[in-house]
């Protein structure tokens, strides 16, 4: 109600201040919301709609445990003392990408400065490489057959040998005691001393390797376009899937859900799991670039596998939101990028030509809108060394760069995870601890059928009705041709088809099947009339009256 002087009269004025209990309740709700957002296990199960009392009680107790676990994980953040430190400009005119590696090396500690080094190997390159899971060992593979593994922190060479044939890719397996090498014809497994253990004859002309550590699966993709999963713990070939798009251009895995992303020469990116088949096709298929997809990388857990960075022959770098499969931002590269990698803290390294560019803030956790970054974070290169591969060292502010003249290790402040979980990955483990962790990982090995786009589906209830499940199951089946179905039901003599069509035409329901029945009936009648006319002509004008309609 408004008075004569324009003042508004409030019917229920707030005269009482917020009490301490109200503030505590609001703070508790805020903590629960943040804990659910950061450490939650998805949407809660609505237990009120469950009729079974025992099941409702059990699910309610389980949801309470999930809630307490998320709150405890949120409260434990106070124990994470280390923070990621980035390069910060002092003035608005200063740019971090102009800082050279020599300046960074002078400003850091002696132990960190020793992590920057160059290996000059200009005769057997270009080189591809791979870091072990704990970031302790480095595996190098030269195109002309040079294989070497080393403890790069101590500068200690573990093994070195020559295979005398082309090497397309190298990959560490679950420990630093086993390595997979994709050579000219087959894939070979070597131990830590360089002794050949196995020759995988079923994997021919492989160009890309990936290893799933929690499933003990070695995934290969080669010139034949076949994606193969090999169980390295049992030696069995789990599955073999035909991508049907020829030789691949790139391969990457999502560490969050172990789904493989394959990039092809027609610009498509396909998502695969061992549950897929050649007939059913991939989990997801999307057109990412106007040309071959040169490289892909998915964030390594800081954002829970939500974002993907892809580069193509069209000189574009796209940032994807995998939850919605849409492009967040597009960037241009001066040359087609040959490799891309995302660090533990979301710093993206892109290798193109003789340069490597590091970008910070391409995607932000819990951000409603992603602002396009205008300038890179750091740069490297421009000295005539063509980049073949870029990879981040786990748990370190170190970026490895493989090029045609060897290998380079550069320092990128703020790229690595400062708070490591030694129960998961321990870079300081002893021989005994490594053996124990290998046994535990084998006991906790996940089955290939558990790989899906949403890894939290295990243990959840299927709340869909039987009609919904049947409808979704029918969507996966091939569409049935109505005409083929009609002719199958009425196969045999013409009298059977005529009887079936007559019954169907007697129905009053007009649908797709009824229209197809009328069309077949008209075709049948016209054929009968044509045959009758032919008989009349054969019999002549005197005997044509005796011609019967068929």
């Amino acid at each position: 109600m408004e008075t004569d002087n324009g003042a508004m009269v409030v019917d229920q004025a707030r005269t009482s201040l917020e009490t301490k209990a109200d503030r505590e309740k609001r703070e508790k709700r805020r903590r629960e919301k943040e804990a659910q957002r950061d450490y939650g296990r998805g949407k809660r199960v609505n237990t009120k709609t469950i009729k079974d009392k025992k099941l409702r009680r059990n699910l309610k107790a389980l949801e309470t445990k999930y809630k307490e676990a998320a709150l405890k994980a949120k409260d434990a953040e106070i124990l994470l003392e280390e923070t990621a430190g980035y390069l910060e400009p002092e003035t608005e005119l200063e740019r971090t990408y102009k800082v050279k590696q020599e300046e960074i090396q002078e400003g850091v500690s002696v132990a960190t400065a020793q992590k920057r080094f160059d290996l000059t190997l200009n005769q057997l390159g270009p080189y591809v490489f791979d870091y072990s899971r704990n970031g302790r060992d480095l595996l190098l593979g030269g195109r002309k057959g040079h294989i070497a593994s080393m403890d790069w922190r101590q500068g200690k060479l573990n093994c070195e040998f020559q295979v005398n044939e082309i090497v397309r890719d190298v990959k560490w397996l679950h420990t630093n005691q086993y390595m997979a090498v994709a050579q000219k014809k087959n894939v070979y497994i070597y131990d830590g001393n360089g002794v050949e253990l196995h020759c995988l004859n079923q994997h021919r002309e492989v160009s890309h390797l990936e290893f799933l550590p929690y499933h003990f699966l070695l995934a290969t993709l080669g010139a034949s376009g076949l994606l193969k999963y090999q169980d390295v713990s049992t030696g069995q070939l789990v599955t073999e899937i035909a991508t049907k798009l020829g030789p691949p251009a790139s391969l990457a895995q999502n560490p969050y859900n172990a789904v493989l992303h394959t990039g092809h020469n027609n610009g498509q990116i396909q998502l695969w799991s061992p549950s897929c088949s050649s007939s059913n096709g991939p989990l997801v298929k999307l057109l990412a670039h106007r040309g071959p997809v040169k490289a892909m990388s998915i964030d390594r857990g800081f954002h829970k596998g939500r974002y993907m960075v892809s580069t193509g022959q069209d000189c574009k770098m796209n940032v994807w939101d995998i939850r919605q499969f849409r492009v967040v931002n597009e960037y241009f590269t001066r040359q087609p990028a040959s490799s891309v990698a995302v660090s533990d803290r979301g710093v993206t390294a892109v290798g193109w030509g003789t340069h490597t560019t590091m970008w910070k803030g391409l995607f932000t956790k819990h951000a409603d809108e992603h602002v396009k970054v205008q300038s890179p974070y750091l740069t490297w290169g421009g000295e005539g060394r063509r980049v073949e591969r870029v990879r981040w060292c786990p748990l370190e502010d170190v970026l490895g760069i493989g090029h045609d003249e060897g290998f380079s290790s550069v320092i990128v402040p703020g790229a690595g995870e400062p708070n490591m979980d030694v129960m998961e990955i321990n870079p300081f483990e002893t021989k005994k601890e490594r053996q124990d962790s290998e046994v535990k990982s084998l006991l906790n090995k996940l089955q290939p059928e558990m790989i899906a786009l949403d890894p939290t589906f295990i243990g959840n209830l299927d709340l869909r009705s039987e009609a919904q499940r049947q409808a979704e199951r029918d969507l996966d089946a091939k569409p049935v041709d109505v005409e083929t179905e009609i002719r199958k039901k009425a196969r045999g003599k013409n009298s059977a088809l005529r009887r079936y069509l007559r019954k169907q035409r007697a129905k009053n329901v007009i649908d797709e099947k009824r229209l197809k029945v009328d069309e077949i009936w008209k075709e049948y009648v016209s054929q009968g009339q044509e045959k009758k006319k032919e008989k009349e002509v054969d019999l002549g004008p005197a005997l044509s009256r005796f011609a019967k309609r068929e």
Side-chain angles (χ1 to χ4, degrees), residues 199-215:
C199 175
L200 306 181
N201 295 324
Q202 295 177 327
H203 302 260
R204 295 298 184 95
E205 297 181 358
V206 171
S207 58
H208 300 84
L209 295 173
E210 279 292 340
F211 182 70
L212 310 180
Y214 299 102
H215 306 79

Side-chain angles (χ1 to χ4, degrees), residues 480-493:
V480 179
D481 189 8
V482 179
E483 184 177 357
T484 306
E485 183 183 5
I486 293 173
R487 294 190 181 275
K488 273 187 178 181
K489 288 185 177 181
R491 64 180 181 271
K493 297 183 179 180

Side-chain angles (χ1 to χ4, degrees), residues 68-85:
E68 292 177 355
L71 287 173
K72 289 180 180 179
K74 186 66 177 177
D75 295 339
E77 289 183 352
I78 195 173
L79 302 176
L80 306 179
E81 299 178 355
E82 303 294 335
T83 57

Side-chain angles (χ1 to χ4, degrees), residues 477-544:
K478 293 183 179 180
V480 179
D481 189 8
V482 179
E483 184 177 357
T484 306
E485 183 183 5
I486 293 173
R487 294 190 181 275
K488 273 187 178 181
K489 288 185 177 181
R491 64 180 181 271
K493 297 183 179 180
N494 290 335
S495 58
L497 177 61
R498 185 164 55 240
R499 192 183 312 114
Y500 178 79
L501 294 177
R502 192 182 299 112
K503 288 182 179 180
Q504 293 295 327
R505 293 183 73 246
K507 296 180 180 179
N508 295 326
V509 179
I510 305 297
D511 55 358
E512 182 183 1
K513 188 175 181 180
R514 170 63 186 276
L515 296 177
K516 185 62 67 174
V517 166
D518 292 342
E519 184 179 346
I520 296 175
W521 176 263
K522 291 178 181 178
E523 179 184 352
Y524 180 77
V525 171
S526 63
Q527 289 178 357
Q529 292 177 354
E530 290 177 0
K531 290 182 179 180
K532 183 179 180 181
K533 290 181 180 179
E534 291 177 359
K535 284 190 175 183
E536 289 178 353
V537 173
D538 294 339
L539 295 175
L543 300 176
S544 61

